[in-house]
Amino acid sequence: MRYFDARIIENRALGNGYFVLRLGGCESLAGSRPGQFMMLRGDWGRDPLLPRPMSLLSVAPEGRADLLARAVGQGTRLLESALPGTRVSILGPLGNGFPEPTQATLDLLVAGGVGMPPLFMQAEHAAHRGLIDRCEMIYGGRTARDLVLLAEMRGLGLAPCLATEDGSVGRRGRVTAALEARIEHHRAATPDRRLRIMACGPREMLWAVARIAEPHAIECYLSVEEQMACGIGVCLGCAMPARSRPFRYACSDGPVFLASDLVIPPAPGQVAGGAP
Amino acid sequence: MRYFDARIIENRALGNGYFVLRLGGCESLAGSRPGQFMMLRGDWGRDPLLPRPMSLLSVAPEGRADLLARAVGQGTRLLESALPGTRVSILGPLGNGFPEPTQATLDLLVAGGVGMPPLFMQAEHAAHRGLIDRCEMIYGGRTARDLVLLAEMRGLGLAPCLATEDGSVGRRGRVTAALEARIEHHRAATPDRRLRIMACGPREMLWAVARIAEPHAIECYLSVEEQMACGIGVCLGCAMPARSRPFRYACSDGPVFLASDLVIPPAPGQVAGGAP
Amino acid sequence: MTPAPAMPASGNGGPSLAIRCGGIDFHNPVLTASGTFGYGKEFAGLLPLASLGGLVTKGISPNPRFGNPAPRICETAAGMLNSIGLENVGLEGFAAEKLPFLRTCGTKVLVNFFGTTFDEYVECGQRLGQLEGVDGLEMNVSCPNIKAGGIEFGRDPRVLGELVRACRNVIAKPLWVKLTPNTSDIVLLARACAENGADAVSVINTIGGMAIDAHTRRPRLATVFGGLSGPAIKPVALRMVYQIHRAGLGIPICGIGGIQSGIDAVEFFLAGASTVQVGTQNFIDPASSERVVREVEDFCRANGVTDLREIVGGLVV
Amino acid sequence: MTPAPAMPASGNGGPSLAIRCGGIDFHNPVLTASGTFGYGKEFAGLLPLASLGGLVTKGISPNPRFGNPAPRICETAAGMLNSIGLENVGLEGFAAEKLPFLRTCGTKVLVNFFGTTFDEYVECGQRLGQLEGVDGLEMNVSCPNIKAGGIEFGRDPRVLGELVRACRNVIAKPLWVKLTPNTSDIVLLARACAENGADAVSVINTIGGMAIDAHTRRPRLATVFGGLSGPAIKPVALRMVYQIHRAGLGIPICGIGGIQSGIDAVEFFLAGASTVQVGTQNFIDPASSERVVREVEDFCRANGVTDLREIVGGLVV
Ligand SMILES: Cc1cc2nc3c(=O)[nH]c(=O)nc-3n(C[C@H](O)[C@H](O)[C@H](O)COP(=O)(O)OP(=O)(O)OC[C@H]3O[C@@H](n4cnc5c(N)ncnc54)[C@H](O)[C@@H]3O)c2cc1C
Ligand SMILES: Cc1cc2nc3c(=O)[nH]c(=O)nc-3n(C[C@H](O)[C@H](O)[C@H](O)COP(=O)(O)OP(=O)(O)OC[C@H]3O[C@@H](n4cnc5c(N)ncnc54)[C@H](O)[C@@H]3O)c2cc1C
Ligand SMILES: Cc1cc2nc3c(=O)[nH]c(=O)nc-3n(C[C@H](O)[C@H](O)[C@H](O)COP(=O)(O)O)c2cc1C
Ligand SMILES: Cc1cc2nc3c(=O)[nH]c(=O)nc-3n(C[C@H](O)[C@H](O)[C@H](O)COP(=O)(O)O)c2cc1C
Ligand code: FES
Ligand code: FES
């Protein structure tokens, strides 16, 4: 973990507010694991004040690092309009990351919206180790315009299973429905295969994924998003209700958690209770 | 006076932190008088919070308006790096301005550093009315690099009398010494000529100019700079101790004042007292 | 270029923004704050005054005051300090020079007032309350009490209560009291107002602050201390509005502090304010108060709120 | 990559930044604030801890605490709100897990502590004061007094004075008291500390605030209220430091609130602080506290200050 200055080398707009920032000077991020993140801040005065957590999308030799973001608020809007050459400060790599891909497992990478980057990086990592056929990308968004970098995914050797809420591309509906279908498929086709789930996306999606994984007893990893100030476990701002302890910290214990260690709220409409 | 959006058409760096911003969409500033100013704010969030007062350097047909600024703090640094196309909001024209040039007078335009714009505009205005020979520019700065737009001044038909503290160009010393020399010259050469002084620059310079004008009984106009919030006389923030009333307001009663209406502090080293 | 006054929103079948607060019926809940909107006329060319729910004048005292030495303002992080010193044209000057315009401006007019002694407050309030064209009074109690060693009238709940009572007794018009946030318990202050007959509380005035120029080693304000306003103080203002609302005193609240947008205003409504005032933002964007009205309306429309009153105090906790 | 600890500035013939404050000799006046610097170790790879004058730990209570429900933080204009809820490892956990590292970290260590009852304060302070490696204690009195209806201990000067006295009686080490700004008179609080034997006051803790998400209609913090910190509060902090300094109580002041740079720190020195703490800025730039030290030194050099003590309280009014 280092605190350093980087420069934007390229800012590639993907439409619908999505953009990929390519950063130079990120030698310190070289060994990062998929799922790790950084705290990033532009040179933009005191508004906004705090750095923003951003997942890594990809790290490459010679200090290049990519991230994917969507302009939703003040910080991401400033990044969206940042020009090549702009200086940003970075603290990273932070957090734990996803488990390694293995020969023995099939990893279902479940990506929701702008939560996709860590799963992309996990797939890239698998590809580098010749294990791309041990993972499957299940990627959902509101519309076709929320599904980005599909060519790059195919370039890795993935055939992403897509879902959109409006049906404009892929399966119509939520990514969790697609996940259920894929689980059923694998359970039927290769019942002995050890499935794992790795997911990142909106909170409700993560809870839904956990609720799907549980009855199947599938090992399920969730990368969570919390409000963060420090990114390194000192402000105690990013507390997550957990089972092994009252709280765990998204930045230093996570952002990737075993779903079984988190307190998963009951599905909307269901009454709480039972669970410890 | 209007509140409107303008766009930066051109941002011309002049070295040493000085730059000229050319703005488009400023039709409402067309009739502005030299010495008037605007409250200007970029689209930069809440840091800095308040708009910045900026004098007009020149207004041209088709809604063009120029200003000259120097990057000294947060706001001016942001303007210095603003790209063509950037939106700014403007409230103006504000304040009163200098008196009209006349055939019967010779106006000594005393400019100190980045206080030069209103005097440039006054000269431009005189030139448009064929009265450029009724004004004389006396322009001082720390070094040669603080004297800008000299070619443009000559283009108006001025032969600016320059002064630098380090002697790197023009007379060595303060602009006020140059002013005294010019007054002596005119008093000797054309004793009947009705002189007027119009000055803008750092506060200490303005007080020194007033102290020079007073014993000569020369009509003396000072354009003052005060901290401003509203620019239109409502916050009462820009109070200037005055003689006719306890306070006058730099934004709405000024920024141009007759020196005789302001409370001019005694010269440094001199003891206060005597003056009302 | 003065646009036609905006119609009350309900005229278009849109959400109703009309609201009663502190004895006054407003056609919308957005007012402008004392000291940041002059005497109204200064803004007449910049926005249609009739589009506002109301405006609050600069604070008026019985006699004209010239205010503090300069510099009087400086900028801070997301805020500003001022030490204007309650400069104003005085009661007679206000009645003669400012009120005639205000009578015709098409929006509700609240006159902010103060005194430096108990009697001045009462005298000023009584006289202002008799003037035609004044819809209500807002008492600024952040003024130092000269007889009590310069402590603000509004800091001690007992003194405040007595002052409110004395003014109430001579003022028939709606009487609002503007509270100081420089307190350890805002609810005690609000209670003193409610129990002594105030019609509403305006929450908050500026927070005491100070700034220093490290290079000259001098304070940035000639008076050393000043009042902090702007977005920086919004969290404190919201907290105090909600504390008062939650205490259930039954007194309506006008929320003030760092409001820049309609969303900011909605936050104050949810916390329990039934009207709001836009202050420092008038300096940043002189037409912002009208925009705030529009944005509140947009919020209501987008969120299925047909009547503003549905969201007042509607915080989900 | 841990750089070698910075030499005390005077070693280079530069200005002397060494200063005594509240019974402790610091080699420079820049500390890090409680709750923003963990237990020190978390920052060890990011800056040389020995370059700091000192550090203040997260607040310690007799027993471990788990803190408040999430969300616990949110951003505001030039500031942030937190409602961490005084989560900490507890006294024994601190002594066993955190202190061994701190003993070797090369800077002064102050331990921030609190209790939820009078007795807990005394017990915790006494025990911490006996631990080797603890250079001083900072008492956080912004904690709700459970027996007194949840009012903070530090709001009532009388209660505060008694608490300080009781702790003083059992603590031999330097005892600092961290004041709450949620008061109508900070000088009364400082006086209560001075008169009851505190060695210094730390000024200020966070200001009570609140934020609302207009769209969900919910408070942004699970606990509704939180503490405001960051540049937004600097004017309030400076004002309080100067008020205490001007009151001439003879108690040293550690200035806290919104410090981002050496210039900010100098402003606090001029107002009367002899040390400062960097808080929220540690989140924005984790190496900033070391930079603040350097910038203070640069300021002194550029302004002919040969000894920091020349500017403490040096405001020209
Ligand atoms: C570990 C971690 C990794 C992250 N990785 C990425 C990443 O790779 N790419 C990325 O774009 N974001 C990522 N985020 C989220 C990112 O930090 C937030 O989107 C960012 O804080 C928004 O900042 P802002 O300043 O633009 O918006 P703010 O001004 O902070 O918020 C503006 C509004 O947008 C809402 N908002 C905030 N975040 C989102 C969101 N994600 N979607 C919709 N609305 C939102 C807020 O509630 C608020 O109302 C990550 C967060 C965490 C904790
Ligand atoms: C009527 C009027 C007309 C003006 N016209 C012009 C103009 O045409 N061009 C122009 O450049 N400026 C002009 N100014 C001054 C301009 O408004 C200030 O320079 C500006 O406010 C500085 O803003 P900032 O945000 O860059 O600095 P801030 O962040 O506000 O200040 C940063 C630091 O710089 C110092 N500082 C501020 N102004 C100056 C200065 N002028 N010189 C040196 N140090 C300074 C401040 O004291 C502070 O310490 C005018 C001011 C007034 C009142
Ligand atoms: C320059 C200035 C002058 C003010 N004058 C007064 C006043 O005369 N009377 C008063 O009650 N409040 C006065 N205020 C306080 C504002 O009305 C308002 O309560 C405060 O600024 C907080 O709101 P804001 O953050 O939106 O500005 C003044 C504020 C400013 C900035
Ligand atoms: C996340 C967070 C946690 C804090 N925890 C404590 C604490 O445990 N004890 C304490 O006395 N102050 C605590 N504080 C207050 C700070 O020490 C400091 O007084 C305050 O943040 C103001 O300084 P700043 O503006 O530089 O942050 C905390 C502040 C923050 C932001
Ligand atoms: S973000 Fe500070 S502890 Fe996680
Ligand atoms: S700047 Fe507001 S009155 Fe002059």
Side-chain angles (χ1 to χ4, degrees):
Chain A
M1 185 241 300
R2 288 281 174 272
Y3 180 66
F4 60 94
D5 278 354
R7 292 215 173 254
I8 297 176
I9 304 179
E10 192 189 303
N11 186 344
R12 183 155 64 104
L14 303 179
N16 205 14
Y18 293 89
F19 57 98
V20 171
L21 284 190
R22 171 153 293 180
L23 306 170
C26 298
E27 285 76 7
S28 321
L29 299 179
S32 306
R33 294 174 49 197
Q36 287 195 294
F37 68 102
M38 55 193 160
M39 296 297 284
L40 181 147
R41 197 169 185 282
D43 199 9
W44 52 49
R46 289 171 294 207
D47 190 25
L49 187 67
L50 298 171
R52 298 294 189 248
M54 284 287 155
S55 298
L56 289 163
L57 174 70
S58 178
V59 293
E62 286 131 41
R64 277 197 290 115
D66 291 350
L67 63 87
L68 166 70
R70 186 176 187 193
V72 296
Q74 239 186 323
T76 46
R77 271 198 293 270
L78 284 167
L79 289 177
E80 184 190 27
S81 59
L83 296 174
T86 303
R87 196 166 58 84
V88 294
S89 51
I90 289 178
L91 177 67
L94 304 172
N96 53 0
F98 288 113
E100 288 286 324
T102 71
Q103 276 289 358
T105 49
L106 176 67
D107 294 338
L108 304 178
L109 309 180
V110 188
V114 78
M116 184 266 275
L119 303 164
F120 183 95
M121 186 156 156
Q122 177 76 358
E124 193 182 53
H125 187 68
H128 287 164
R129 328 213 134 190
L131 294 170
I132 192 67
D133 58 337
R134 290 292 176 278
C135 46
E136 195 173 296
M137 176 76 78
I138 306 169
Y139 183 17
R142 203 153 301 189
T143 72
R145 304 183 62 217
D146 294 292
L147 302 182
V148 297
L149 302 181
L150 300 180
E152 285 79 355
M153 288 183 190
R154 295 197 182 99
L156 293 176
L158 287 174
C161 163
L162 306 180
T164 53
E165 288 179 35
D166 69 349
S168 50
V169 73
R171 215 185 139 99
R172 173 193 295 270
R174 309 225 157 191
V175 70
T176 39
L179 170 65
E180 283 183 302
R182 294 308 298 161
I183 293 174
E184 270 174 44
H185 166 82
H186 291 299
R187 285 291 194 229
T190 52
D192 294 338
R193 202 66 167 286
R194 191 175 139 219
L195 295 181
R196 298 191 299 188
I197 294 174
M198 303 182 192
C200 183
R203 185 174 295 229
E204 288 314 317
M205 177 198 110
L206 295 183
W207 300 156
V209 167
R211 286 185 220 109
I212 291 167
E214 218 236 315
H216 290 287
I218 301 176
E219 205 172 303
C220 176
Y221 296 89
L222 305 179
S223 178
V224 302
E225 289 195 6
E226 273 297 322
Q227 296 289 334
M228 292 188 177
C230 72
I232 55 173
V234 306
C235 75
L236 309 184
C238 62
M240 299 282 305
R243 297 197 181 189
S244 53
R245 289 180 9 200
F247 292 108
R248 293 205 161 262
Y249 296 95
C251 69
S252 49
D253 297 324
V256 177
F257 291 96
L258 261 174
S260 55
D261 190 29
L262 295 180
V263 179
I264 311 291
Q270 251 176 266
V271 183
Chain B
M1 183 241 300
R2 289 278 173 275
Y3 180 66
F4 61 94
D5 278 355
R7 290 219 173 250
I8 297 176
I9 303 178
E10 193 188 305
N11 186 347
R12 184 154 65 103
L14 304 178
N16 205 12
Y18 293 90
F19 58 98
V20 172
L21 283 191
R22 171 153 293 180
L23 306 171
C26 298
E27 286 75 9
S28 319
L29 298 179
S32 306
R33 295 172 50 197
Q36 287 194 294
F37 69 100
M38 55 193 161
M39 296 297 285
L40 181 147
R41 196 168 187 283
D43 200 7
W44 52 49
R46 288 170 295 206
D47 189 25
L49 187 67
L50 298 171
R52 297 296 189 243
M54 284 286 156
S55 298
L56 289 163
L57 174 70
S58 177
V59 292
E62 287 133 40
R64 276 198 289 116
D66 291 351
L67 64 87
L68 167 70
R70 187 176 188 194
V72 295
Q74 238 187 324
T76 47
R77 271 199 292 271
L78 284 166
L79 289 177
E80 184 191 25
S81 59
L83 297 175
T86 303
R87 198 166 59 84
V88 295
S89 52
I90 289 179
L91 178 66
L94 304 172
N96 55 1
F98 287 114
E100 285 289 322
T102 72
Q103 275 291 354
T105 49
L106 178 66
D107 295 338
L108 304 178
L109 308 181
V110 188
V114 79
M116 184 266 274
L119 303 164
F120 183 96
M121 185 154 156
Q122 177 76 358
E124 194 182 53
H125 187 67
H128 286 165
R129 327 211 135 190
L131 293 171
I132 193 68
D133 58 337
R134 291 294 177 279
C135 47
E136 197 173 295
M137 176 74 78
I138 307 170
Y139 183 15
R142 203 155 298 190
T143 72
R145 302 182 64 216
D146 293 294
L147 302 181
V148 298
L149 302 182
L150 300 180
E152 286 79 355
M153 288 184 190
R154 296 198 182 98
L156 294 176
L158 288 174
C161 164
L162 305 180
T164 51
E165 288 178 35
D166 68 349
S168 51
V169 72
R171 217 187 138 99
R172 175 192 294 268
R174 308 225 159 191
V175 69
T176 40
L179 170 64
E180 282 182 305
R182 293 310 297 161
I183 292 174
E184 269 173 45
H185 166 83
H186 290 300
R187 284 291 193 226
T190 52
D192 295 339
R193 203 65 168 288
R194 191 176 139 219
L195 295 180
R196 298 191 299 189
I197 294 174
M198 302 181 193
C200 185
R203 186 175 294 229
E204 289 313 318
M205 178 198 110
L206 295 183
W207 300 155
V209 167
R211 287 185 218 107
I212 291 167
E214 218 235 318
H216 290 287
I218 300 175
E219 206 171 301
C220 176
Y221 296 88
L222 306 178
S223 180
V224 302
E225 288 194 7
E226 274 294 326
Q227 295 289 334
M228 292 187 177
C230 73
I232 55 172
V234 307
C235 76
L236 309 183
C238 62
M240 300 281 305
R243 297 195 181 192
S244 54
R245 291 179 8 200
F247 291 110
R248 292 202 162 267
Y249 295 94
C251 69
S252 48
D253 298 325
V256 177
F257 291 97
L258 262 174
S260 55
D261 190 29
L262 294 180
V263 178
I264 311 290
Q270 249 175 268
V271 182
Chain C
M1 197 219 53
T2 318
M7 276 288 103
S10 50
N12 316 324
S16 165
L17 300 188
I19 197 145
R20 186 173 177 81
C21 176
I24 305 177
D25 287 308
F26 295 96
H27 70 85
N28 74 56
V30 181
L31 289 68
T32 51
S34 179
T36 66
F37 209 68
Y39 299 100
K41 194 169 186 173
E42 297 88 338
F43 284 81
L46 294 165
L47 75 168
L49 297 181
S51 67
L52 301 177
L55 64 83
V56 186
T57 67
K58 180 75 193 151
I60 302 292
S61 53
N63 300 309
R65 288 170 61 104
F66 296 115
N68 288 327
R72 295 174 167 190
I73 53 174
C74 78
E75 192 168 322
T76 65
M80 64 176 283
L81 288 166
N82 87 79
S83 64
I84 305 304
L86 300 170
E87 169 161 353
N88 75 94
V89 296
L91 206 154
E92 299 307 329
F94 173 73
E97 297 157 31
K98 309 297 180 185
L99 198 52
F101 170 80
L102 288 171
R103 286 200 190 97
T104 68
C105 75
T107 192
K108 299 291 179 189
V109 175
L110 282 94
V111 181
N112 184 282
F113 76 101
F114 68 97
T116 53
T117 63
F118 208 92
D119 293 346
E120 270 192 23
Y121 266 101
V122 175
E123 173 199 340
C124 194
Q126 177 166 34
R127 182 81 178 79
L128 285 170
Q130 290 157 351
L131 295 176
E132 192 213 316
V134 173
D135 295 297
L137 298 185
E138 181 181 67
M139 186 155 81
N140 174 3
V141 293
S142 296
C143 198
N145 184 346
I146 293 175
K147 292 208 181 128
I151 301 280
E152 294 171 8
F153 284 92
R155 280 217 191 160
D156 179 332
R158 202 185 42 79
V159 175
L160 177 62
E162 286 169 16
L163 187 63
V164 171
R165 175 57 61 195
C167 288
R168 171 78 291 171
N169 287 342
V170 298
I171 299 173
K173 288 203 174 140
L175 174 63
W176 297 17
V177 183
K178 186 162 176 182
L179 302 183
T180 172
N182 301 306
T183 176
S184 52
D185 193 342
I186 195 76
V187 174
L188 287 185
L189 300 182
R191 179 171 288 132
C193 297
E195 288 175 351
N196 286 284
D199 294 297
V201 283
S202 300
V203 183
I204 58 175
N205 213 318
T206 55
I207 304 181
M210 167 177 181
I212 292 174
D213 182 330
H215 292 99
T216 63
R217 303 190 191 177
R218 288 180 186 281
R220 288 194 187 267
L221 299 178
T223 53
V224 184
F225 301 121
L228 184 64
S229 65
I233 71 170
K234 195 182 76 170
V236 180
L238 269 179
R239 187 250 300 175
M240 291 186 166
V241 166
Y242 181 64
Q243 285 179 311
I244 295 171
H245 172 74
R246 201 180 51 159
L249 308 173
I251 192 166
I253 305 166
C254 181
I256 319 173
I259 294 175
Q260 302 195 284
S261 69
I263 297 293
D264 291 338
V266 167
E267 292 168 18
F268 277 90
F269 300 139
L270 291 168
S274 43
T275 50
V276 294
Q277 294 176 23
V278 177
T280 300
Q281 181 66 18
N282 292 308
F283 307 150
I284 299 167
D285 166 357
S288 55
S289 49
E290 187 197 6
R291 177 174 48 77
V292 170
V293 176
R294 268 199 320 273
E295 289 171 350
V296 169
E297 196 180 335
D298 291 347
F299 175 91
C300 289
R301 196 171 281 125
N303 290 274
V305 177
T306 57
D307 189 315
L308 179 71
R309 289 169 295 182
E310 297 164 24
I311 60 171
V312 171
L315 188 73
V316 180
V317 280
Chain D
M1 196 219 56
T2 315
M7 277 286 101
S10 51
N12 317 325
S16 163
L17 300 188
I19 196 147
R20 186 173 175 81
C21 176
I24 304 177
D25 288 307
F26 296 96
H27 71 88
N28 74 55
V30 181
L31 289 67
T32 50
S34 178
T36 66
F37 208 69
Y39 299 100
K41 193 169 188 174
E42 297 89 336
F43 284 81
L46 294 164
L47 76 168
L49 296 181
S51 68
L52 301 178
L55 64 82
V56 186
T57 66
K58 180 74 193 153
I60 302 291
S61 53
N63 299 309
R65 288 171 60 104
F66 297 114
N68 289 325
R72 296 173 167 191
I73 54 174
C74 79
E75 191 170 323
T76 66
M80 65 177 281
L81 288 167
N82 87 77
S83 63
I84 305 305
L86 301 170
E87 168 159 353
N88 76 93
V89 295
L91 207 153
E92 298 308 328
F94 172 74
E97 297 156 31
K98 309 298 178 183
L99 199 52
F101 170 81
L102 288 171
R103 287 200 189 97
T104 67
C105 75
T107 192
K108 300 290 180 190
V109 174
L110 282 94
V111 180
N112 184 282
F113 75 101
F114 67 96
T116 54
T117 62
F118 207 93
D119 293 344
E120 271 192 21
Y121 266 102
V122 175
E123 173 199 341
C124 193
Q126 177 166 32
R127 183 82 178 81
L128 286 169
Q130 290 158 353
L131 295 176
E132 191 213 317
V134 172
D135 295 296
L137 298 184
E138 180 181 69
M139 185 155 82
N140 174 4
V141 293
S142 298
C143 198
N145 183 343
I146 291 174
K147 291 207 182 129
I151 302 279
E152 293 170 6
F153 284 94
R155 281 219 187 158
D156 180 332
R158 201 185 43 78
V159 175
L160 176 61
E162 286 170 17
L163 187 62
V164 172
R165 175 57 60 195
C167 289
R168 171 77 293 169
N169 288 342
V170 298
I171 300 174
K173 288 206 175 140
L175 173 63
W176 298 17
V177 183
K178 185 161 177 183
L179 302 183
T180 170
N182 301 308
T183 174
S184 53
D185 193 342
I186 195 77
V187 174
L188 288 185
L189 299 182
R191 179 170 290 129
C193 296
E195 288 175 351
N196 286 286
D199 293 296
V201 282
S202 299
V203 181
I204 55 178
N205 214 316
T206 54
I207 303 181
M210 165 177 181
I212 293 174
D213 182 330
H215 292 99
T216 62
R217 303 189 191 178
R218 289 182 186 278
R220 288 194 187 269
L221 299 178
T223 53
V224 184
F225 302 121
L228 184 63
S229 64
I233 71 169
K234 194 182 76 169
V236 179
L238 269 178
R239 187 251 299 175
M240 291 186 166
V241 167
Y242 182 63
Q243 286 179 311
I244 295 171
H245 172 73
R246 200 179 53 160
L249 306 174
I251 190 164
I253 305 165
C254 180
I256 319 172
I259 294 175
Q260 300 194 285
S261 69
I263 296 294
D264 291 337
V266 168
E267 293 168 18
F268 277 89
F269 300 139
L270 291 167
S274 44
T275 49
V276 294
Q277 293 176 23
V278 177
T280 300
Q281 181 66 19
N282 291 309
F283 306 150
I284 300 168
D285 166 359
S288 56
S289 49
E290 185 197 7
R291 175 174 51 75
V292 170
V293 177
R294 270 200 318 273
E295 290 171 349
V296 169
E297 195 179 338
D298 292 346
F299 175 91
C300 290
R301 195 171 280 125
N303 290 273
V305 176
T306 55
D307 189 315
L308 179 72
R309 289 170 294 183
E310 297 163 26
I311 61 171
V312 170
L315 188 72
V316 180
V317 281

